[in-house]
Amino acid sequence: MTLLRFENLHLAYGRTPLLNDANLTLEEGERVAILGRNGAGKSSLLKLVAGEVHSDGGSLWRKPGLRIGVLPQVLPAADDRDVFEVVALGLAEAGRLLEEFHHITHLPPDQVDLKRMDELQHQLDACNGWALSQKVEQLLKRLHLNGDTRMSELSGGWRRRVALAQALVSEPDLLLLDEPTNHLDIETIQWLEEQIKSFPGAVLLITHDRTFMQNIATRMLELDLGEITSWEGRYLDFLEFKAHQLEVEARHQAAFDKKLAQEEVWIRQGIKARRTRNEGRVRALKELRKQRAERLQRQGKADIQLEAAERSGKLVAELTHASYSYEGVPIIRDLTTSIQRGDKIGILGRNGAGKTTLLKMLLGELQPQEGQVKIGTKLEVAYFDQLRGQLDPQKTVLDNLAEGRTSVTINGRDKHVIGYLQDFLFTPERARQPVSALSGGEQNRLLLAKLFAKPANLLVMDEPTNDLDLETLELLEELLLNYEGTLLLVSHDRAFLDSVVTGILAFEGDGRVKEYIGGYEDWIRQGGRFPPLPTPGSLKTAGKVAASAPAATTDTAPSQPKASTASQTQSQPQKPAKKLSYKLQRELDLLPGEIEQLEQQIATQEGKVSDPTFYQQDAALVASELQQLEALQQQLEQKMERWLELEAETQ
């Protein structure tokens, strides 16, 4: 059964056509992936389907009564609402009534408005709301969610579950997914795959995660130059089709250009060579010129090169029986490992497990509480920050890269900064715009440009694949594969890990970090696994172990919740604590709550910034929001450092 149909649909932003005479049919039960470069119009296509934007021409037909569920990029806010209330909002008006009724029933008895409660009961009776309430409860059970847990107590991965429950609760015919794996750890991505596979309706999705796409989608839609090309089959099959298509297109364009060149020679031969011109041929030549002028040129591929530094010493970093704990809970326990020159090491673990803690330890920025760390010689480090903290949103793209220079040196050759930026797909006009006006993908490309312009023999990359289009992602893979230095990579992209790394350091629970040879699939084959996933209950600060540790503040989301750490804490030998003054002890007691509050504010702010429409706002507003995020991150870092200082005084 057909759910949706485009016929000769047009959509443009300014003079840029996103859809040009586009046609599309979506059938019941299909799982369709939308492919295309950053800015090609993928998210706009989803918004058209959802009815959030309207086309400039053509027709869009939806099956009468079509129910659409949306899983957006932006996570639900980490606020005081409980899970039941957020999920119930997926039921439209009935959901709003259920949300209000649920809120009232959880108030203290002396605060309950009995009259309003009676009104809600009658309204819920009229719309079969009690049956819908049961539907919410059943869905929460299936997704292992506790309806009474507050959103502020959940990590990013659990809030993604809540968002999925909200999208599914209305039993939609069509589910829209916009970059659903962004900032999720591998385990949560795999869980999401299984949920989508079991969904009986149709799915339309955008993702840069190739493994996720290969496992989920059964049809590919490529959006390019305003046209939609459909391919029945899996993603890897599509790549073969695409390579053939580009080869055929190149031959056609070469033949076209050859004919145009021949006609241009003919028209210039003049009256002596041809006394009577063929007016039909002249008109045909004009048409060829018009076609050539109007033919949209494909955006070039990024030409990414890395400035090589002097070779480091053979040893890059060595940990010997290294351990690090927070509040008695081990993050890293008795780890012995050695990183040699030329190693490409992937670091696996849940969000908040302590991956960034390990990175900082390997770089010598954080000392283990037990054991030793030895750092090699002649190291020149380039660091890719997933939060883009190295970019000044107020400065232009050019100023962020150049830092007062007019050229950069790549592999011994000077290159003008404008030309270098063009290698990363920034036009001269775009290079002079402020960073605050860039999309998330463009900011990542700029960060890569800045990173690769510096001589480095040790690359440290923390989630570099977020927001990159597939072609740039593949080019980055090729660069890292051929890179002769050492690479430390934190990533949840399974295909990227398999393509790039030679070894894995995996967080497997209870502070155990194990070393494996090969990539992600090799880790699985060798018996690697994550520990069992806990279910959130009534939580306060438990479970924020690694996320609250000073070296883990760049993890995108707090760690997965744990029911309690009390028994674990009691099982650790305790040293006699030194006594602080009343004032300092009071400050220390308040810091965990202040840190948690800042984490929640940062999560909310990051949600705003990751919204695909964020950079379409006024530039001053965008800059203000980015400044606020940076200020919150700085405050969090200061709080963490202060907490460490006070904790150290009690040891």
Side-chain angles (χ1 to χ4, degrees):
M1 179 186 295
T2 301
L3 301 181
L4 181 81
R5 186 185 301 114
F6 290 2
E7 292 183 353
N8 302 322
L9 211 63
H10 288 264
L11 179 67
Y13 284 151
R15 301 179 63 181
T16 304
L18 299 181
L19 293 174
N20 187 17
D21 261 351
N23 294 285
L24 168 66
T25 300
L26 186 64
E27 301 291 337
E28 190 175 41
E30 286 193 293
R31 297 200 297 267
V32 182
I34 306 173
L35 304 176
R37 292 180 181 274
N38 292 332
K42 301 186 298 294
S43 293
S44 297
L45 179 57
L46 282 191
K47 290 178 181 179
L48 268 175
V49 172
E52 296 176 19
V53 299
H54 300 286
S55 65
D56 300 320
S59 65
L60 192 164
W61 175 87
R62 299 181 185 86
K63 186 189 79 170
L66 180 69
R67 295 190 303 273
I68 298 177
V70 180
L71 182 63
Q73 282 193 44
V74 182
L75 291 173
D79 52 25
D80 288 335
R81 295 177 299 171
D82 63 36
V83 168
F84 183 98
E85 294 173 9
V86 175
V87 173
L89 290 175
L91 293 169
E93 179 59 22
R96 190 193 63 77
L97 296 174
L98 280 173
E99 182 269 336
E100 187 179 355
F101 185 83
H102 188 265
H103 177 73
I104 288 178
T105 57
H106 283 67
L107 291 173
D110 60 337
Q111 296 181 24
V112 173
D113 184 341
L114 295 178
K115 181 179 178 181
R116 179 55 184 159
M117 193 175 194
D118 186 59
E119 291 173 354
L120 287 170
Q121 286 177 322
H122 282 91
Q123 289 174 311
L124 286 167
D125 284 335
C127 68
N128 199 26
W130 305 117
L132 295 176
S133 178
Q134 282 295 107
K135 185 183 294 185
V136 174
E137 295 288 357
Q138 291 168 3
L139 185 59
L140 293 177
K141 185 177 181 181
R142 178 161 71 87
L143 300 187
H144 304 289
L145 290 165
N146 185 326
D148 293 329
T149 304
R150 292 188 183 278
M151 295 295 292
S152 59
E153 297 165 0
L154 299 181
S155 70
W158 285 103
R159 281 188 285 142
R160 178 68 74 192
R161 290 189 183 220
V162 175
L164 180 62
Q166 186 187 81
L168 293 177
V169 71
S170 65
E171 297 181 349
D173 306 300
L174 172 60
L175 185 60
L176 306 181
L177 309 174
D178 192 355
E179 293 289 3
T181 67
N182 259 7
H183 305 297
L184 296 185
D185 56 42
I186 290 175
E187 191 175 24
T188 308
I189 292 171
Q190 291 173 325
W191 172 89
L192 185 60
E193 283 178 3
E194 295 306 314
Q195 297 302 316
I196 296 171
K197 285 179 183 177
S198 65
F199 174 63
V203 176
L204 194 58
L205 68 114
I206 300 169
T207 182
H208 68 268
D209 188 320
R210 292 158 295 177
T211 303
F212 183 82
M213 184 166 18
Q214 174 71 11
N215 292 342
I216 292 297
T218 56
R219 177 156 69 111
M220 305 293 136
L221 291 180
E222 185 181 33
L223 183 57
D224 188 28
L225 306 178
E227 297 181 356
I228 296 176
T229 303
S230 177
W231 168 260
E232 295 287 345
R234 301 285 182 175
Y235 173 65
L236 294 180
D237 299 322
F238 167 79
L239 291 182
E240 294 183 13
F241 159 75
K242 180 63 176 175
H244 174 71
Q245 182 191 46
L246 290 175
E247 183 181 343
V248 171
E249 181 180 331
R251 287 202 301 266
H252 287 171
Q253 288 195 359
F256 177 94
D257 292 343
K258 182 179 180 181
K259 182 178 180 181
L260 175 59
Q262 290 171 342
E263 295 302 286
E264 291 287 4
V265 170
W266 172 81
I267 199 69
R268 287 175 174 80
Q269 286 179 342
I271 193 67
K272 290 181 179 179
R274 183 171 284 99
R275 290 189 178 276
T276 58
R277 295 190 179 186
N278 184 328
E279 292 302 321
R281 193 170 178 181
V282 172
R283 287 194 297 271
L285 174 57
K286 289 181 178 179
E287 182 61 28
L288 284 175
R289 288 174 174 172
K290 181 181 177 183
Q291 290 177 31
R292 183 65 180 82
E294 293 179 350
R295 189 172 74 195
L296 292 170
Q297 297 298 307
R298 296 185 182 277
Q299 184 183 22
K301 290 186 176 181
D303 179 15
I304 301 176
Q305 300 180 50
L306 178 63
E307 169 65 351
E310 179 185 356
R311 288 178 57 169
S312 68
K314 185 175 181 181
L315 175 70
V316 173
E318 184 176 71
L319 296 177
T320 306
H321 301 295
S323 297
Y324 196 94
S325 299
Y326 175 73
E327 292 187 349
V329 179
I331 298 172
I332 297 170
R333 186 200 295 271
D334 195 30
L335 173 60
T336 296
T337 188
S338 178
I339 310 295
Q340 302 292 319
R341 182 180 63 226
D343 285 348
K344 297 181 174 69
I345 304 299
I347 300 177
L348 294 183
R350 288 185 183 137
N351 286 336
K355 300 185 294 296
T356 312
T357 300
L358 177 57
L359 275 182
K360 289 182 179 287
M361 206 175 285
L362 290 170
L363 294 174
E365 297 176 8
L366 181 70
Q367 293 297 312
Q369 295 166 338
E370 297 178 16
Q372 296 179 334
V373 57
K374 182 179 179 181
I375 305 301
T377 59
K378 299 181 180 179
L379 292 179
E380 295 190 49
V381 181
Y383 196 102
F384 184 98
D385 174 14
Q386 63 167 328
L387 295 180
R388 309 187 186 106
Q390 299 170 36
L391 300 180
D392 185 339
Q394 302 303 315
K395 291 183 179 179
T396 65
V397 172
L398 187 62
D399 289 338
N400 265 277
L401 173 73
E403 298 176 344
R405 299 172 294 173
T406 59
S407 63
V408 294
T409 304
I410 304 296
N411 294 329
R413 298 178 61 184
D414 288 342
K415 193 165 190 174
H416 195 278
V417 289
I418 290 290
Y420 178 69
L421 282 169
Q422 286 179 308
D423 291 341
F424 288 80
L425 307 182
F426 290 102
T427 64
E429 294 78 17
R430 198 65 170 160
R432 292 181 174 86
Q433 292 187 342
V435 166
S436 59
L438 301 183
S439 68
E442 287 175 315
Q443 289 194 30
N444 264 15
R445 284 210 308 271
L446 175 57
L447 194 52
L448 289 173
K450 188 171 182 177
L451 177 76
F452 295 157
K454 297 178 179 178
N457 52 36
L458 173 57
L459 274 180
V460 182
M461 308 194 83
D462 194 354
E463 289 294 343
T465 65
N466 285 334
D467 300 317
L468 290 183
D469 60 48
L470 290 173
E471 288 187 86
T472 307
L473 184 59
E474 289 166 359
L475 286 167
L476 178 59
E477 278 182 357
E478 185 177 351
L479 170 78
L480 295 179
L481 195 61
N482 297 322
Y483 177 52
E484 295 182 356
T486 307
L487 172 68
L488 298 177
L489 171 68
V490 175
S491 179
H492 302 309
D493 188 319
R494 292 159 287 178
F496 191 75
L497 286 164
D498 280 331
S499 297
V500 170
V501 305
T502 58
I504 293 286
L505 287 172
F507 284 77
E508 297 188 347
D510 197 28
R512 292 177 291 110
V513 182
K514 295 184 66 176
E515 191 169 7
Y516 295 84
I517 301 299
Y520 173 77
E521 290 296 334
D522 298 298
W523 174 65
I524 295 294
R525 280 193 293 271
Q526 295 172 63
R529 60 182 179 84
F530 295 117
L533 190 68
T535 301
S538 298
L539 307 171
K540 296 300 177 187
T541 59
K544 297 187 181 291
V545 178
S548 297
T553 57
T554 57
D555 279 355
T556 303
S559 62
Q560 302 291 356
K562 298 181 182 178
S564 174
T565 60
S567 61
Q568 293 169 307
T569 304
Q570 292 170 4
S571 67
Q572 301 292 323
Q574 298 294 317
K575 299 177 182 178
K578 297 178 183 178
K579 189 173 179 62
L580 296 173
S581 68
Y582 173 80
K583 182 178 179 181
L584 291 180
Q585 185 61 51
R586 176 64 175 163
E587 182 182 359
L588 178 60
D589 292 341
L590 292 175
L591 275 171
E594 294 171 355
I595 288 170
E596 183 180 10
Q597 185 178 9
L598 281 169
E599 287 174 336
Q600 293 170 11
Q601 292 173 335
I602 288 172
T604 301
Q605 196 68 10
E606 286 175 346
K608 291 182 184 178
V609 172
S610 62
D611 189 311
T613 63
F614 175 76
Y615 292 98
Q616 297 173 13
Q617 303 177 91
D618 179 74
L621 177 60
V622 168
S624 173
E625 294 286 357
L626 290 171
Q627 281 182 329
Q628 185 177 348
L629 175 59
E630 184 178 0
L632 289 169
Q633 290 165 347
Q634 290 175 353
Q635 290 177 44
L636 180 61
E637 185 175 348
Q638 291 167 0
K639 295 288 185 184
M640 294 293 188
E641 290 176 356
R642 182 56 175 161
W643 176 85
L644 273 183
E645 291 173 6
L646 294 176
E647 278 288 302
E649 291 185 26
T650 66
Q651 302 303 313

